Amino acid sequence: MERVYELDDNRARVNLDVVWGFLSTEAYWARWRTRDIVERQVQSAWRVVGAYELGSGEMAGFARAISDGCAHAYLSDVFVVHGHRGQGLGVRLVRAMIEEGPGARFMWMLHTRDAHELYAKFGFGPPTPRYLERPSQLG
């Protein structure tokens, strides 16, 4: 039986236990963060999108964005919980965040070590020669 999901950008609906659980144990990019940091990042995000299984309401995926709200945005913390993978939720989360929301016309940035194929579907590629970054000293 196919599972059915809905996406929602209501911050109050985000299950912080699920977000913290994934980011603190499975996300190579976020294990250094404390729960307090994760909670502050979710609360201060420009936008968050969660994926929820219909019926149970269980949170199955998440994406967070930081933005100036006008022209630029950074996509962060995109994940799908293991038991819900293979349903196209990663693609749906990215699409909802960058193509269907208020940031659809923004320049988007992100970092990834292992999801280049996913993001290429949405036009992401290597940075231009004018893009510079200062690496984090946090972890």
Side-chain angles (χ1 to χ4, degrees):
M1 183 166 105
E2 183 178 331
R3 295 164 106 176
V4 180
Y5 299 89
E6 66 178 339
L7 273 56
D8 190 351
D9 64 357
N10 180 351
R11 186 182 323 267
R13 192 172 177 192
V14 171
N15 183 330
L16 289 169
D17 290 334
V18 172
V19 175
W20 166 246
F22 188 91
L23 293 180
S24 65
T25 62
E26 300 186 50
Y28 67 82
W29 66 89
R31 288 188 208 128
W32 63 269
R33 299 180 202 167
T34 64
R35 182 168 178 130
D36 180 62
I37 288 172
V38 169
E39 288 181 7
R40 284 188 289 146
Q41 288 175 323
V42 170
Q43 292 308 313
S44 67
W46 171 72
R47 186 170 184 229
V48 296
V49 177
Y52 305 90
E53 186 176 22
L54 284 180
S56 71
E58 181 180 350
M59 186 171 188
F62 178 79
R64 176 174 70 91
I66 303 159
S67 177
D68 62 7
C70 300
H72 301 94
Y74 185 86
L75 182 61
S76 186
D77 296 335
V78 178
F79 70 83
V80 176
V81 176
H82 280 292
H84 299 278
R85 292 184 181 173
Q87 309 289 319
L89 290 176
V91 169
R92 288 181 62 193
L93 283 163
V94 174
R95 181 179 296 120
M97 184 65 84
I98 71 168
E99 290 185 345
E100 297 172 351
R105 298 177 56 95
F106 292 0
M107 179 185 81
W108 283 87
M109 298 160 277
L110 63 85
H111 288 89
T112 186
R113 184 168 67 189
D114 59 0
H116 295 81
E117 282 186 39
L118 167 64
Y119 297 117
K121 294 175 185 179
F122 297 95
F124 286 93
T128 66
R130 64 188 177 126
Y131 185 84
L132 301 173
E133 75 173 16
R134 179 176 179 247
S136 170
Q137 304 301 307
L138 297 173

